[in-house]
Amino acid sequence: MKTKKEELNLFNLIWIGFSFIAGITFTASFSTILSTTNPEASVGVHIYWIFALEGLIAFLCAWSFARLVQIHPQANGGGGQYARTAFNKFWGLMTGLLNYAVIPVIGMGLMVTMVRANFDNLSGYHGGNWGSWGSWGNLYLDLIAYALYMFASSIIFFGIKKYKYFATIIGYMTWGITILLIIFGLVAGFIQPLNDPNNHTGFVGQSTNIKLGFDNFVNTFTTCFFAFAGIETFITTGKNIKNRDKNMPIAIIVIMILTTVFYIAFTALVMFAVRQENWSGNPNKEIFQGFSAKWLRDFGSILVIVCTMLMRFNSSLQITLFGGATLEPLASQKFLPDALRRENKENVPVGGIIVTIIGFTITFILFILIPDIIQGATERPSPFDYATLSSTASILLISIYIVVIVAAITHGFKKNMKVKWWEYLGWFLTIGFIIFIFAMYLKGLITSFTNPYDSDGEIDIQKLVAASFQIIYFTAIVVTAVCVYYIAYKKRLSKLQPEELKNLENYEKIYQIIKK
């Protein structure tokens, strides 16, 4: 049982939530969505209101989680728990698997930005020319990132206390560096017009030749929505929160406001400090290109690389631990083997973490390793960059949010909780909008097969591989849920001993509703 000292107060809640979600690495997609070499894909200055819209959508999605936390005796399983109480066990399992399946994809986004995005000069592809490592550069850098991930995941096995100590130190370091970057960015932004008044375009230049349409809007929305990923993870810690009925809604409001303001402000800073022709794999490095002193430009690049790698390293720690913890409620409900819910003496869900590491490895092979090998052999750029991976993760998150918002509306209709008119209105509008985004995403996948040709009229193997792997991943989640529930789960229940059935019944009491 948790003591008062182990519970999170409101300040801890806000700090942990904001630190977990926000960070400077979201700019990795800017080389795609703010590209000046491809105006059709760019959204230019529209990025500001798009981020504001995403903050509102993310808040309404998170608000459904926060409200559902209040009517459940324990926050154990997050979206899967809420789907089960609103609908049935199958939808609880399906949502739980979706919640787990998004973790490896998020991990792939972390790996790509941990190393590859920082060394665009080694593996990048610009103007028909490869970086100094050629078309195999992505493979070498991604293998380094995978090795760093394995090192990060191994730290968890030393115990939760050591993990928290390690994560806290990295957290303070990254935010300290972020403050330095903001200061340098402001200085660079004001210096560049003085050094080269005819070539500094700032905010205005980003809107040149930009035509906002459905395709580039949806691509930008799904890519940047990934930056808000984590709020659904953070909310599921509701059983460790002091006065959760009161503190959770307040924390959600503050966290989402802070995160949205940070993203808009840092975007403005980067667009102010970076010339429009200098977007690269990691635009944050370009902030220092406005300084005339070479040592300062080199120092800035090192600073950004260290900050990015530390931040992604820390996120890899957190997401792996969460992956192990996510399997616990599924195992406790007998959907998965009991070994996945066992913890060692350090309270580490060892079985779940090992499975998560294996899942990361399989996803790494599908989404990164194979495309990298194809890129090296064909000398065609891999489509699995940060933008594609973050879009895939965003669609999985959107799927979870649709289920959870419908669950919140259902509990409202059933009078299990009091839902105000503005909540109903906000949730219905949000569902309609994100279903539209989901449909446009599916349209893009289908187009990859109906029009698989590149600009030269040749079949684009990379495009087909990217679309195929995403469809396979989604299909595997649905097939796994159906097979587990209707075959393995039913069979396992029939073999449980009376004592095991009693323990299961006692555990499932947490899936009751506390009417509000």
Side-chain angles (χ1 to χ4, degrees):
M1 181 179 293
K2 298 289 181 183
T3 65
K4 293 291 183 181
K5 290 183 179 179
E6 293 174 306
E7 292 180 330
L8 300 173
N9 59 34
L10 182 59
F11 175 79
N12 297 142
L13 202 58
I14 293 172
W15 169 248
I16 292 173
F18 176 69
S19 298
F20 182 64
I21 299 169
I24 65 170
T25 50
F26 75 96
T27 60
S29 61
F30 283 10
S31 58
T32 300
I33 63 176
L34 295 179
S35 172
T36 54
T37 57
N38 185 13
E40 293 182 359
S42 177
V43 295
V45 293
H46 295 291
I47 188 66
Y48 298 115
W49 68 262
I50 291 176
F51 261 126
L53 176 63
E54 292 192 332
L56 176 61
I57 296 297
F59 165 75
L60 289 168
C61 294
W63 188 254
S64 63
F65 278 87
R67 295 286 278 113
L68 289 167
V69 164
Q70 295 177 317
I71 65 170
H72 290 80
Q74 290 187 37
N76 193 20
Q81 180 185 20
Y82 309 144
R84 171 171 171 165
T85 56
F87 312 122
N88 52 46
K89 287 185 179 181
F90 173 76
W91 278 104
L93 170 63
M94 173 68 78
T95 310
L97 289 177
L98 278 171
N99 207 33
Y100 181 75
V102 73
I103 293 172
V105 182
I106 292 175
M108 297 308 101
L110 298 178
M111 285 190 195
V112 167
T113 51
M114 186 188 298
V115 179
R116 186 203 299 180
N118 291 314
F119 298 97
D120 202 48
N121 60 314
L122 298 179
S123 64
Y125 183 77
H126 302 287
N129 298 313
W130 289 100
S132 56
W133 283 7
S135 60
W136 293 96
N138 278 2
L139 177 63
Y140 305 145
L141 294 175
D142 289 335
L143 287 174
I144 293 172
Y146 178 74
L148 288 173
Y149 164 74
M150 293 300 292
F151 173 63
S153 60
S154 68
I155 292 174
I156 301 173
F157 293 103
F158 290 99
I160 296 297
K161 289 183 178 179
K162 291 184 176 63
Y163 151 74
K164 288 181 177 179
Y165 180 75
F166 197 87
T168 300
I169 292 177
I170 292 180
Y172 284 131
M173 290 175 63
T174 53
W175 280 106
I177 296 175
T178 299
I179 293 173
L180 283 176
L181 291 177
I182 292 173
I183 295 172
F184 278 116
L186 289 172
V187 174
F190 285 109
I191 284 179
Q192 282 204 72
L194 299 176
N195 292 339
D196 192 358
N198 297 321
N199 199 30
H200 181 71
T201 54
F203 298 102
V204 178
Q206 305 303 333
S207 60
T208 304
N209 299 323
I210 298 302
K211 293 182 180 180
L212 186 66
F214 279 130
D215 290 337
N216 57 351
F217 168 75
V218 170
N219 179 58
T220 299
F221 186 92
T222 54
T223 299
C224 294
F225 196 69
F226 178 71
F228 291 91
I231 192 67
E232 75 293 333
T233 300
F234 156 74
I235 290 172
T236 59
T237 61
K239 63 182 178 180
N240 299 322
I241 296 171
K242 183 178 181 181
N243 299 326
R244 65 177 181 170
D245 289 4
K246 176 183 177 182
N247 288 339
M248 181 60 82
I250 296 174
I252 292 299
I253 294 173
V254 175
I255 291 169
M256 298 315 298
I257 290 175
L258 289 176
T259 301
T260 304
V261 170
F262 174 77
Y263 286 151
I264 293 175
F266 199 81
T267 296
L269 175 72
V270 173
M271 293 178 73
F272 177 52
V274 179
R275 292 177 178 176
Q276 66 171 7
E277 72 273 13
N278 283 349
W279 298 116
S280 65
N282 189 347
N284 298 332
K285 291 170 59 179
E286 306 300 332
I287 289 175
F288 291 83
Q289 297 308 307
F291 295 102
S292 57
K294 184 179 182 301
W295 71 267
L296 192 54
R297 295 197 299 270
D298 294 340
F299 167 75
S301 295
I302 294 172
L303 197 66
V304 171
I305 291 173
V306 170
C307 183
T308 302
M309 294 185 71
L310 285 175
M311 191 170 287
R312 286 325 200 189
F313 189 88
N314 203 21
S315 297
S316 297
L317 276 169
Q318 294 173 326
I319 206 70
T320 304
L321 181 62
F322 173 65
T326 302
L327 293 175
E328 184 273 327
L330 295 177
S332 296
Q333 294 173 78
K334 304 302 179 182
F335 290 129
L336 300 177
D338 290 335
L340 298 181
R341 67 185 178 89
R342 295 196 183 107
E343 298 178 339
N344 63 13
K345 62 180 181 180
E346 295 285 348
N347 298 319
V348 176
V350 177
I353 288 176
I354 291 175
V355 170
T356 298
I357 293 173
I358 294 173
F360 267 58
T361 301
I362 294 173
T363 312
F364 174 77
I365 293 171
L366 288 175
F367 284 81
I368 294 182
L369 188 62
I370 292 177
D372 282 354
I373 293 174
I374 295 176
Q375 172 180 293
T378 64
E379 295 189 353
R380 293 176 178 267
S382 170
F384 281 109
D385 54 9
Y386 176 80
T388 303
L389 291 167
S390 58
S391 293
T392 305
S394 294
I395 292 301
L396 286 169
L397 290 170
I398 284 173
S399 303
I400 296 168
Y401 292 151
I402 291 173
V403 174
V404 173
I405 291 176
V406 173
I409 293 172
T410 301
H411 280 301
F413 286 163
K414 290 180 178 180
K415 307 299 182 184
N416 291 329
M417 67 180 185
K418 295 179 181 179
V419 179
K420 298 178 181 178
W421 69 267
W422 66 265
E423 292 175 311
Y424 278 127
L425 177 62
W427 286 336
F428 275 116
L429 290 175
T430 298
I431 286 178
F433 181 78
I434 59 181
I435 286 177
F436 164 74
I437 295 293
F438 190 84
M440 292 296 292
Y441 173 81
L442 291 179
K443 174 179 173 291
L445 289 182
I446 294 172
T447 302
S448 297
F449 293 99
T450 58
N451 184 25
Y453 303 101
D454 59 19
S455 57
D456 297 324
E458 298 180 0
I459 294 179
D460 192 337
I461 298 176
Q462 289 283 37
K463 182 192 292 187
L464 291 173
V465 169
S468 298
F469 282 175
Q470 290 175 72
I471 292 173
I472 290 171
Y473 199 76
F474 280 105
T475 304
I477 297 169
V478 176
V479 171
T480 300
V482 172
C483 292
V484 167
Y485 186 78
Y486 290 102
I487 300 176
Y489 175 65
K490 300 286 186 181
K491 184 177 180 181
R492 191 175 185 198
L493 282 183
S494 65
K495 294 182 178 181
L496 291 180
Q497 299 298 318
E499 184 177 351
E500 292 176 311
L501 282 171
K502 185 177 180 179
N503 291 335
L504 179 61
E505 290 174 0
N506 289 332
Y507 174 80
E508 291 187 336
K509 289 179 180 179
I510 67 172
Y511 293 97
Q512 298 174 348
I513 299 297
I514 303 174
K515 292 189 177 183
K516 293 287 184 179

